[in-house]
Amino acid sequence: MTQAGKLNSQVSIKDRLNGLFHNWRGDLTGGLTAAVVALPLALAFAVASGVEPKAGLYTAIVAGVVAAVFGGSPVQITGPTGAMAVVLVGIVAKYGIEKVWIAGVMAGTIQIALGVAKLGRLVKFIPYPVTAGFTNGIAVIIFCGQLNNFFGLHLPNQEHFLQALWQTITNLEAFNWLAIALALLTIGTKLLWNRINQSIPGSLVGLVVATIAAVIAKSQWNLEVPTIGVIPQSLPMLQAIPHWTDFRLIRELINPAIALAALGSIESLLAAVVADGMSVSDRHNSDRELIGQGLANMIVPFFGGIPATGAIARTAVNVRAGGKTRLSGVIHGVALALIVLIFAPLASQVPLAALAGILMITSIRMMEWKAIGLLIHTTYADFGVMILTWLVTVCFDLVLAVEVGLIAAGILFIKRMSELSLIKMPEDSTFLAGVPLDFGKQIAIYRIDGPMFFGAAERFVSFLREAPEVKNLILRMRYVPSMDTTGLVALEEIYHDLQRHDCQLILSGLRPEVEQLLERSGLLAEIGHENCFSSTDEALRKIMPKSQDSLPDPKLLATIT
């Protein structure tokens, strides 16, 4: 290497280190806060998965650090999640924990292959009603899956959700009053504490209060409830996985592995997209995120953990607390390891009912209530896709739900396109966004041709995010004959992005169908009726009433109206 090359390499390494540690205080606060939030959730999701609570902690520690270092999102927090717990509880009940470890290694391998093949961006083309459907389905399964612990019932885990729910209903006469009281105490404490103090997570406070109450009830009145049991006061250690190279076993577990890989990829990438919208850090790299999550899932089984994904709630906590770089994710894992070393003996007294209360609140907050209202008031066809996805999620499994939802959305898309056969469409893409006409540095005009559907929504968002920073951005929508819910959400996302950059969004030439959709959703009122015009000419004259001489030639305006 030449002297100049060595100098550039040294500068690059120095810049990377400076970039990693320039926000170390914010990353420290974000990582520690995320660790405190992750502690009760790691225990709860492990129990919900049908495995020992320590597996949840080991997963959060190992997977959290590995994914933070190698993943594609600088602020993503990885660990056990509710969606993964829904899949794992059935796999654990059917195959046992050792085979789950093997399936986890296989799932990680599949995720890495998807990342290397650069398929990470495909998740952005999943229609909004499909993601809302399976998210709501997951929330229902988590809530109902905690009824056993809520009522203090000692019942075996079932492979399917409906079987488990029926088993709970038929054994309700064996409920434990103390368990119900502790669960309600946890829920009440969590809800009230969040109104009093935002710095300490209400879930952690509720867990502590319920544990103290359980200890007092046992010592004073000899009343007992199921607890999580002993957690080893040690760091996760490397272990051997029996028969993990057995080809027959691999063939047996290929379907569970694909399910884990698909769910882990979808949830992690969706969480990364949410993190992009909250953070001022660099945008995530979808392919690298898949590789990072795959490495985490390959490694964590050798430390006794379970498959993990990016966690939206913990990632949001990290960002809000100041985390901006990968260091925050590493600190989150290290902090959890220290907590295990110091406080593990106390965790043996934590009642399962308290964890049930935490998960029930979490599941209710997971529900896409906004999506339900939005879909009801916009297009009934999209609402039907969401309901279908939700039903398949609850009655069968998540992967099948995504497959069915995509097929239904595809059929709906084809139907809509066939109804638009008289509309002249571009040959090479769903819509064309033209080069902005330059009216100084204050105004940019973009033309959209064709329907704004889920396939075009991501390109729409990506293109306008790279637009020059101006004060007024006009979207000419005369040639947008229709718009679906995903296109609507994309337009709303662009509007909020422009608001953050002090740029006014202006719409011109709205067709009646599109205008009615925007009106029903409430987005038109948010943008402002005063910012919607029948023509681009009218919009320009409204923006620059005192600068008529700076307008383009009237003949040119006639062509862009």
Side-chain angles (χ1 to χ4, degrees), residues 370-404:
K370 179 182 176 182
I372 295 173
L374 181 65
L375 291 168
I376 289 176
H377 290 92
T378 51
T379 58
Y380 292 114
D382 284 341
F383 181 72
V385 171
M386 186 196 73
I387 292 296
L388 177 62
T389 307
W390 176 81
L391 286 173
V392 177
T393 300
V394 171
C395 298
F396 298 96
D397 63 72
L398 297 177
V399 177
L400 180 62
V402 173
E403 293 171 352
V404 171

Short mmCIF file of all heavy atoms in Angstrom, two decimals, residues 370-404:
data_model
loop_
_atom_site.label_atom_id
_atom_site.label_comp_id
_atom_site.label_asym_id
_atom_site.label_seq_id
_atom_site.Cartn_x
_atom_site.Cartn_y
_atom_site.Cartn_z
N LYS A 370 -55.06 2.79 14.62
CA LYS A 370 -55.13 3.80 13.57
C LYS A 370 -55.39 3.15 12.21
O LYS A 370 -56.16 3.67 11.40
CB LYS A 370 -53.83 4.60 13.54
CG LYS A 370 -53.80 5.66 12.46
CD LYS A 370 -52.47 6.39 12.43
CE LYS A 370 -52.43 7.40 11.29
NZ LYS A 370 -51.13 8.09 11.21
N ALA A 371 -54.73 2.01 11.99
CA ALA A 371 -54.90 1.32 10.70
C ALA A 371 -56.34 0.85 10.53
O ALA A 371 -56.91 0.95 9.43
CB ALA A 371 -53.95 0.12 10.62
N ILE A 372 -56.94 0.34 11.61
CA ILE A 372 -58.33 -0.13 11.53
C ILE A 372 -59.26 1.02 11.15
O ILE A 372 -60.07 0.91 10.24
CB ILE A 372 -58.75 -0.76 12.87
CG1 ILE A 372 -57.91 -2.03 13.16
CG2 ILE A 372 -60.24 -1.11 12.85
CD1 ILE A 372 -58.16 -2.62 14.53
N GLY A 373 -59.10 2.15 11.85
CA GLY A 373 -59.94 3.30 11.54
C GLY A 373 -59.70 3.84 10.15
O GLY A 373 -60.63 4.20 9.41
N LEU A 374 -58.42 3.88 9.75
CA LEU A 374 -58.07 4.39 8.43
C LEU A 374 -58.66 3.52 7.33
O LEU A 374 -59.25 4.02 6.36
CB LEU A 374 -56.54 4.44 8.29
CG LEU A 374 -55.99 4.97 6.97
CD1 LEU A 374 -56.35 6.44 6.79
CD2 LEU A 374 -54.48 4.78 6.90
N LEU A 375 -58.53 2.21 7.47
CA LEU A 375 -59.00 1.29 6.43
C LEU A 375 -60.53 1.27 6.36
O LEU A 375 -61.10 1.13 5.28
CB LEU A 375 -58.45 -0.11 6.68
CG LEU A 375 -56.94 -0.25 6.47
CD1 LEU A 375 -56.44 -1.58 7.01
CD2 LEU A 375 -56.58 -0.13 5.00
N ILE A 376 -61.20 1.39 7.50
CA ILE A 376 -62.66 1.41 7.51
C ILE A 376 -63.18 2.64 6.75
O ILE A 376 -64.16 2.55 6.01
CB ILE A 376 -63.20 1.40 8.95
CG1 ILE A 376 -62.97 0.02 9.59
CG2 ILE A 376 -64.69 1.75 8.98
CD1 ILE A 376 -63.39 -0.06 11.04
N HIS A 377 -62.50 3.78 6.93
CA HIS A 377 -63.00 5.03 6.35
C HIS A 377 -62.45 5.30 4.95
O HIS A 377 -62.78 6.34 4.36
CB HIS A 377 -62.64 6.21 7.26
CG HIS A 377 -63.41 6.21 8.54
ND1 HIS A 377 -62.93 5.62 9.69
CD2 HIS A 377 -64.64 6.71 8.85
CE1 HIS A 377 -63.83 5.76 10.66
NE2 HIS A 377 -64.87 6.42 10.18
N THR A 378 -61.61 4.42 4.43
CA THR A 378 -61.06 4.66 3.10
C THR A 378 -61.61 3.64 2.10
O THR A 378 -62.61 3.88 1.44
CB THR A 378 -59.52 4.64 3.12
OG1 THR A 378 -59.05 3.45 3.76
CG2 THR A 378 -58.99 5.85 3.88
N THR A 379 -60.96 2.47 2.00
CA THR A 379 -61.40 1.48 1.01
C THR A 379 -61.76 0.17 1.72
O THR A 379 -60.95 -0.38 2.47
CB THR A 379 -60.29 1.20 -0.02
OG1 THR A 379 -59.11 0.75 0.65
CG2 THR A 379 -59.95 2.47 -0.78
N TYR A 380 -62.96 -0.32 1.46
CA TYR A 380 -63.41 -1.55 2.09
C TYR A 380 -62.62 -2.76 1.60
O TYR A 380 -62.47 -3.75 2.32
CB TYR A 380 -64.91 -1.75 1.82
CG TYR A 380 -65.77 -0.73 2.51
CD1 TYR A 380 -66.52 0.19 1.78
CD2 TYR A 380 -65.85 -0.67 3.89
CE1 TYR A 380 -67.31 1.14 2.41
CE2 TYR A 380 -66.64 0.27 4.53
CZ TYR A 380 -67.37 1.17 3.78
OH TYR A 380 -68.13 2.11 4.42
N ALA A 381 -62.12 -2.70 0.37
CA ALA A 381 -61.34 -3.82 -0.15
C ALA A 381 -60.05 -4.00 0.65
O ALA A 381 -59.68 -5.12 1.02
CB ALA A 381 -61.03 -3.58 -1.63
N ASP A 382 -59.34 -2.89 0.95
CA ASP A 382 -58.14 -2.97 1.77
C ASP A 382 -58.46 -3.44 3.18
O ASP A 382 -57.70 -4.19 3.80
CB ASP A 382 -57.45 -1.60 1.83
CG ASP A 382 -56.70 -1.28 0.55
OD1 ASP A 382 -56.41 -2.22 -0.20
OD2 ASP A 382 -56.41 -0.10 0.31
N PHE A 383 -59.60 -2.99 3.70
CA PHE A 383 -60.03 -3.44 5.03
C PHE A 383 -60.28 -4.95 5.02
O PHE A 383 -59.93 -5.66 5.97
CB PHE A 383 -61.30 -2.71 5.44
CG PHE A 383 -61.82 -3.09 6.80
CD1 PHE A 383 -61.15 -2.70 7.94
CD2 PHE A 383 -62.96 -3.86 6.94
CE1 PHE A 383 -61.62 -3.05 9.20
CE2 PHE A 383 -63.44 -4.23 8.19
CZ PHE A 383 -62.76 -3.82 9.33
N GLY A 384 -60.85 -5.46 3.91
CA GLY A 384 -61.07 -6.91 3.79
C GLY A 384 -59.77 -7.68 3.76
O GLY A 384 -59.66 -8.77 4.35
N VAL A 385 -58.73 -7.13 3.10
CA VAL A 385 -57.41 -7.78 3.07
C VAL A 385 -56.84 -7.84 4.49
O VAL A 385 -56.26 -8.87 4.90
CB VAL A 385 -56.45 -7.02 2.13
CG1 VAL A 385 -55.02 -7.56 2.27
CG2 VAL A 385 -56.91 -7.16 0.69
N MET A 386 -56.99 -6.76 5.25
CA MET A 386 -56.49 -6.75 6.62
C MET A 386 -57.21 -7.79 7.48
O MET A 386 -56.58 -8.53 8.25
CB MET A 386 -56.67 -5.36 7.24
CG MET A 386 -56.03 -5.23 8.62
SD MET A 386 -56.59 -3.80 9.56
CE MET A 386 -58.24 -4.33 10.02
N ILE A 387 -58.54 -7.87 7.36
CA ILE A 387 -59.31 -8.84 8.15
C ILE A 387 -58.93 -10.27 7.76
O ILE A 387 -58.78 -11.15 8.63
CB ILE A 387 -60.82 -8.61 7.95
CG1 ILE A 387 -61.24 -7.27 8.57
CG2 ILE A 387 -61.62 -9.75 8.56
CD1 ILE A 387 -61.04 -7.19 10.07
N LEU A 388 -58.75 -10.52 6.47
CA LEU A 388 -58.35 -11.86 6.01
C LEU A 388 -56.99 -12.24 6.59
O LEU A 388 -56.81 -13.36 7.09
CB LEU A 388 -58.32 -11.90 4.48
CG LEU A 388 -57.86 -13.21 3.84
CD1 LEU A 388 -58.81 -14.35 4.20
CD2 LEU A 388 -57.74 -13.06 2.33
N THR A 389 -56.04 -11.32 6.53
CA THR A 389 -54.71 -11.58 7.08
C THR A 389 -54.79 -11.83 8.58
O THR A 389 -54.11 -12.71 9.13
CB THR A 389 -53.77 -10.38 6.80
OG1 THR A 389 -53.79 -10.08 5.41
CG2 THR A 389 -52.35 -10.69 7.22
N TRP A 390 -55.62 -11.05 9.26
CA TRP A 390 -55.79 -11.21 10.72
C TRP A 390 -56.37 -12.59 11.05
O TRP A 390 -55.89 -13.26 11.96
CB TRP A 390 -56.71 -10.09 11.22
CG TRP A 390 -57.04 -10.20 12.67
CD1 TRP A 390 -56.27 -9.80 13.72
CD2 TRP A 390 -58.25 -10.75 13.23
NE1 TRP A 390 -56.93 -10.06 14.91
CE2 TRP A 390 -58.13 -10.64 14.63
CE3 TRP A 390 -59.39 -11.31 12.69
CZ2 TRP A 390 -59.12 -11.08 15.49
CZ3 TRP A 390 -60.39 -11.75 13.55
CH2 TRP A 390 -60.25 -11.63 14.92
N LEU A 391 -57.38 -13.01 10.32
CA LEU A 391 -58.01 -14.30 10.58
C LEU A 391 -57.05 -15.46 10.36
O LEU A 391 -56.99 -16.39 11.17
CB LEU A 391 -59.25 -14.47 9.69
CG LEU A 391 -60.48 -13.64 10.07
CD1 LEU A 391 -61.57 -13.78 9.01
CD2 LEU A 391 -61.02 -14.07 11.44
N VAL A 392 -56.29 -15.40 9.27
CA VAL A 392 -55.33 -16.48 9.00
C VAL A 392 -54.22 -16.50 10.05
O VAL A 392 -53.76 -17.55 10.47
CB VAL A 392 -54.73 -16.33 7.58
CG1 VAL A 392 -53.68 -17.41 7.31
CG2 VAL A 392 -55.82 -16.40 6.52
N THR A 393 -53.81 -15.31 10.51
CA THR A 393 -52.79 -15.23 11.57
C THR A 393 -53.29 -15.91 12.84
O THR A 393 -52.57 -16.71 13.47
CB THR A 393 -52.45 -13.76 11.88
OG1 THR A 393 -51.95 -13.13 10.71
CG2 THR A 393 -51.41 -13.66 12.99
N VAL A 394 -54.51 -15.62 13.23
CA VAL A 394 -55.07 -16.16 14.48
C VAL A 394 -55.37 -17.65 14.35
O VAL A 394 -55.10 -18.43 15.27
CB VAL A 394 -56.33 -15.37 14.87
CG1 VAL A 394 -57.05 -16.04 16.03
CG2 VAL A 394 -55.98 -13.94 15.25
N CYS A 395 -55.92 -18.06 13.22
CA CYS A 395 -56.38 -19.44 13.08
C CYS A 395 -55.28 -20.40 12.60
O CYS A 395 -55.37 -21.61 12.86
CB CYS A 395 -57.55 -19.51 12.10
SG CYS A 395 -59.00 -18.57 12.65
N PHE A 396 -54.26 -19.88 11.91
CA PHE A 396 -53.23 -20.77 11.36
C PHE A 396 -51.84 -20.30 11.82
O PHE A 396 -51.44 -20.61 12.93
CB PHE A 396 -53.34 -20.82 9.83
CG PHE A 396 -54.66 -21.39 9.36
CD1 PHE A 396 -55.71 -20.54 9.01
CD2 PHE A 396 -54.87 -22.76 9.29
CE1 PHE A 396 -56.93 -21.05 8.60
CE2 PHE A 396 -56.08 -23.28 8.88
CZ PHE A 396 -57.12 -22.42 8.53
N ASP A 397 -51.12 -19.57 10.98
CA ASP A 397 -49.81 -19.08 11.41
C ASP A 397 -49.45 -17.81 10.65
O ASP A 397 -50.11 -17.45 9.66
CB ASP A 397 -48.71 -20.14 11.23
CG ASP A 397 -48.51 -20.53 9.78
OD1 ASP A 397 -47.97 -19.71 9.02
OD2 ASP A 397 -48.89 -21.65 9.40
N LEU A 398 -48.39 -17.15 11.10
CA LEU A 398 -48.04 -15.84 10.58
C LEU A 398 -47.55 -15.89 9.14
O LEU A 398 -47.90 -15.02 8.33
CB LEU A 398 -46.95 -15.21 11.46
CG LEU A 398 -47.32 -14.94 12.91
CD1 LEU A 398 -46.14 -14.39 13.66
CD2 LEU A 398 -48.48 -13.98 12.99
N VAL A 399 -46.70 -16.85 8.82
CA VAL A 399 -46.15 -16.92 7.47
C VAL A 399 -47.25 -17.15 6.45
O VAL A 399 -47.29 -16.50 5.40
CB VAL A 399 -45.07 -18.02 7.39
CG1 VAL A 399 -44.55 -18.15 5.96
CG2 VAL A 399 -43.93 -17.72 8.34
N LEU A 400 -48.17 -18.08 6.75
CA LEU A 400 -49.30 -18.32 5.86
C LEU A 400 -50.15 -17.05 5.74
O LEU A 400 -50.66 -16.74 4.65
CB LEU A 400 -50.14 -19.48 6.37
CG LEU A 400 -51.37 -19.85 5.53
CD1 LEU A 400 -50.94 -20.29 4.13
CD2 LEU A 400 -52.19 -20.96 6.21
N ALA A 401 -50.28 -16.32 6.83
CA ALA A 401 -51.07 -15.08 6.80
C ALA A 401 -50.47 -14.07 5.84
O ALA A 401 -51.19 -13.42 5.07
CB ALA A 401 -51.16 -14.49 8.21
N VAL A 402 -49.14 -13.90 5.89
CA VAL A 402 -48.48 -12.97 4.97
C VAL A 402 -48.66 -13.43 3.53
O VAL A 402 -48.93 -12.62 2.62
CB VAL A 402 -46.99 -12.82 5.32
CG1 VAL A 402 -46.27 -11.98 4.28
CG2 VAL A 402 -46.83 -12.20 6.70
N GLU A 403 -48.52 -14.74 3.29
CA GLU A 403 -48.69 -15.27 1.93
C GLU A 403 -50.11 -15.01 1.42
O GLU A 403 -50.29 -14.52 0.30
CB GLU A 403 -48.39 -16.77 1.92
CG GLU A 403 -46.94 -17.11 2.21
CD GLU A 403 -46.72 -18.60 2.40
OE1 GLU A 403 -47.73 -19.34 2.46
OE2 GLU A 403 -45.56 -19.03 2.49
N VAL A 404 -51.11 -15.33 2.25
CA VAL A 404 -52.50 -15.13 1.84
C VAL A 404 -52.79 -13.65 1.64
O VAL A 404 -53.47 -13.24 0.68
CB VAL A 404 -53.46 -15.74 2.89
CG1 VAL A 404 -54.91 -15.34 2.60
CG2 VAL A 404 -53.32 -17.25 2.91
#
